[in-house]
């Protein structure tokens, strides 16, 4: 039993060392640009409603004019030509909207806006058609807006919601977190949701709170970066790093439980043998 315990201890130490070593190596390969992005939650702040963007028809629209009839707003920062994450987030929004009993245009409003000033109304219209054609909600056309804007307007809006992103000139992509924001009918930020999937219950509660202007509590951020693995630099995407870290931690915990069970059994066995010897 002691022999088994010693082997188990060595394995545990090996995994702890390996997890720490891998984590250190991955942190070293993490590009500096990833340190400059994120979301600084600004719950309770009001976004600037006087900002002007172009809608999918190319018409100039005032942001505040999209807040109508005391409806809460789901704000979705993205860029339309994003090769990875943005389409996942849009798909997630589409799927959860399909599940909700409430409908965009009737009960709430969705505003998807591009963070890329080079993108124009054509791309916005293309994406709007793609998502709304298969969405069986009669007033979705009026309640889901796809916008583009100039650099100044985009920066003003993203700064107001604490959405920090960065353009990576190396691969021509914007790096950002997967996140959406809930706004009250007055434009007050009430909730942040993170990730590339959204539960119907979470979105329903978030919209309900936003409609009443109630400030929601911050939830754990799911760190999904719009960044791809670059073989030339041999750097890992944050998702891969997190998976490896969590895997290493889970291994250590499982080994700890396993070794704890063996330690207790050996202790009981030793005490039992000692008691038997004393009786003899």
């Amino acid at each position: 039993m002691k022999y088994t315990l010693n082997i188990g201890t060595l394995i545990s130490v090996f995994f702890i060392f390996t997890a720490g070593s891998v984590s250190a190596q991955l942190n070293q390969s993490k590009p500096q640009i990833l340190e400059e992005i994120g979301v600084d939650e600004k719950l309770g702040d009001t976004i600037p409603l006087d900002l002007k963007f172009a809608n999918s028809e190319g018409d100039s629209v005032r942001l505040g004019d999209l807040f109508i009839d005391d409806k809460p707003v789901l704000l979705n920062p993205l860029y339309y030509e994003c090769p990875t994450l943005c389409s996942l987030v849009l798909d997630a929004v589409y799927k959860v909207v399909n599940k909700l009993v409430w409908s965009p245009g009737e009960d709430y409003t969705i505003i998807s806006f591009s963070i890329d000033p080079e993108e124009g109304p054509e791309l916005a219209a293309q994406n709007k058609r793609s998502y709304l054609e298969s969405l069986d909600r009669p007033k979705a056309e009026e309640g889901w807006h796809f916008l583009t804007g100039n650099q100044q307007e985009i920066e003003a809006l993203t700064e107001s919601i604490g959405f920090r992103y960065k353009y990576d000139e190396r691969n021509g992509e914007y790096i950002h977190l997967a996140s959406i924001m809930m706004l009250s009918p007055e434009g007050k930020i009430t909730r942040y949701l993170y990730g590339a999937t959204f539960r119907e219950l979470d979105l329903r509660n978030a919209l309900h709170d936003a409609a009443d202007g109630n400030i929601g509590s911050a939830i754990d951020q799911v760190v999904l970066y719009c960044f791809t693995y670059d073989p030339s630099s041999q750097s890992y995407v944050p998702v891969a790093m997190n998976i490896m870290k969590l895997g290493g931690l889970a291994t250590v915990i499982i080994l700890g439980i396993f070794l704890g069970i063996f330690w207790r059994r050996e202790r009981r066995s030793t005490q039992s043998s000692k008691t038997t010897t004393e009786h003899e």
Side-chain angles (χ1 to χ4, degrees):
M1 182 67 71
K2 289 182 179 178
Y3 177 73
T4 303
L5 201 62
N6 289 334
I7 292 177
T9 303
L10 288 173
I11 293 174
S12 179
V13 170
F14 169 76
F15 272 103
I16 292 173
F17 175 78
T18 302
S21 176
V22 169
S23 177
Q25 290 177 11
L26 290 177
N27 284 335
Q28 289 175 358
S29 66
K30 183 178 179 180
Q32 179 62 34
I33 197 171
L34 294 182
E35 303 292 344
E36 303 176 37
I37 65 174
V39 174
D40 302 317
E41 296 193 353
K42 298 189 177 183
L43 295 168
D45 287 4
T46 300
I47 67 169
L49 298 177
D50 288 333
L51 297 177
K52 291 184 178 180
F53 286 79
N55 62 19
S56 53
E57 285 76 41
D59 299 325
S60 177
V61 293
R62 178 180 170 272
L63 204 56
D65 292 337
L66 303 180
F67 288 68
I68 57 174
D69 300 333
D70 297 326
K71 293 183 177 68
V73 172
L74 186 162
L75 191 64
N76 170 212
L78 50 75
Y79 71 104
Y80 300 115
E81 292 191 317
C82 174
T84 51
L85 193 59
C86 300
S87 58
L88 294 178
V89 176
L90 258 180
D91 288 344
V93 172
Y94 170 83
K95 289 175 183 177
V96 76
V97 166
N98 239 347
K99 294 177 181 178
L100 278 173
V101 175
W102 302 336
S103 296
E106 292 183 357
D107 307 296
Y108 63 99
T109 300
I110 303 175
I111 299 176
S112 297
F113 73 97
S114 174
I115 59 174
D116 184 357
E118 299 297 321
E119 294 186 331
E122 300 81 7
L123 278 172
Q126 197 175 43
N127 277 265
K128 184 172 184 176
R129 284 194 302 271
S130 174
Y131 284 95
L132 297 194
E133 279 179 357
S134 56
L135 186 64
D136 187 22
R137 300 298 172 96
K139 292 189 177 181
E141 180 80 20
E142 305 167 16
W144 192 341
H145 307 282
F146 289 74
L147 308 180
T148 55
N150 61 43
Q151 187 69 46
Q152 184 178 353
E153 307 291 296
I154 291 170
E155 287 181 357
L157 181 53
T158 53
E159 184 178 345
S160 71
I161 58 177
F163 186 79
R164 292 186 287 111
Y165 61 97
K166 200 77 176 177
Y167 181 70
D168 186 2
E169 295 182 356
R170 183 182 57 177
N171 56 22
E173 297 176 17
Y174 283 90
I175 308 172
H176 60 88
L177 278 176
S179 57
I180 59 176
M181 300 82 195
M182 301 298 154
L183 309 176
S184 73
E186 297 76 33
K188 182 171 64 177
I189 304 169
T190 60
R191 185 76 61 89
Y192 288 79
L193 295 178
Y194 301 92
T197 58
F198 304 108
R199 295 195 311 164
E200 186 270 344
L201 177 63
D202 293 336
L203 189 62
R204 176 158 39 93
N205 288 339
L207 285 171
H208 188 274
D209 285 341
D212 295 335
N214 296 327
I215 306 301
S217 59
I219 63 170
D220 292 335
Q221 298 186 15
V222 179
V223 186
L224 293 175
Y225 291 96
C226 193
F227 196 76
T228 53
Y229 177 77
D230 184 2
S232 62
S233 64
Q234 297 183 347
S235 60
Y236 292 85
V237 294
V239 173
M241 287 193 287
N242 289 340
I243 290 173
M244 293 185 74
K245 288 177 183 178
L246 290 174
L249 179 60
T251 302
V252 171
I253 292 173
I254 292 171
L255 279 172
I257 295 172
F258 178 77
L259 294 172
I261 293 173
F262 270 94
W263 179 77
R264 288 180 182 178
R265 286 182 178 176
E266 184 183 26
R267 187 177 181 184
R268 289 174 184 172
S269 177
T270 302
Q271 289 177 343
S272 177
S273 300
K274 187 176 182 181
T275 302
T276 303
T277 303
E278 289 176 352
H279 282 303
E280 290 177 354

